[in-house]
Amino acid sequence: MEQNFSKKIDWLRLFCTPSIGVVTFRHLMAKFGSASEAIKQLPDLASSLNRGRYANRAITVPTVQWAEEYIEKCSKNG
C-alpha cells in the first residue's frame, strides 16, 4: 500500500513540474521506467537540453510534502 502511495506522489510531482506536459511525461516514463527515476534524471536531462525558450531555467519539481498535501485536499473535497 505504501509503495503505491509513493508511486502516486512521484507521478503527481513529475506531472506538476513546470514544462512537463502529457507528452513529455509519457516520454519520460517510457525512457526511465518510473516517475521516481525520471525525477532523479531531470537535472542532468535539463542541462543537456538547455536551449530554446527554457534556456537558463532551473527545473523545479514540486516537493513530496506539496504532493501529499495536494492529495489530502483532493480527498477531503471528494
Side-chain angles (χ1 to χ4, degrees):
M1 181 75 161
E2 181 66 31
Q3 186 178 26
N4 285 337
F5 186 71
S6 179
K7 185 177 177 180
K8 288 178 184 178
I9 293 292
D10 289 337
W11 276 46
L12 181 61
R13 292 177 64 216
L14 181 60
F15 191 76
C16 291
T17 299
S19 68
I20 303 289
V22 175
V23 173
T24 303
F25 178 87
R26 291 183 75 175
H27 285 298
L28 290 170
M29 292 296 292
K31 181 175 177 83
F32 298 111
S34 72
S36 176
E37 189 59 31
I39 289 169
K40 289 177 192 172
Q41 298 298 325
L42 278 177
D44 291 335
L45 186 61
S47 65
S48 70
L49 298 174
N50 195 12
R51 60 181 181 269
R53 66 181 178 161
Y54 297 110
N56 300 319
R57 287 189 191 174
I59 291 181
T60 304
V61 179
T63 65
V64 170
Q65 180 180 352
W66 174 88
E68 289 172 344
E69 290 171 1
Y70 185 88
I71 289 173
E72 185 177 325
K73 287 177 188 175
C74 290
S75 294
K76 285 181 181 179
N77 292 317

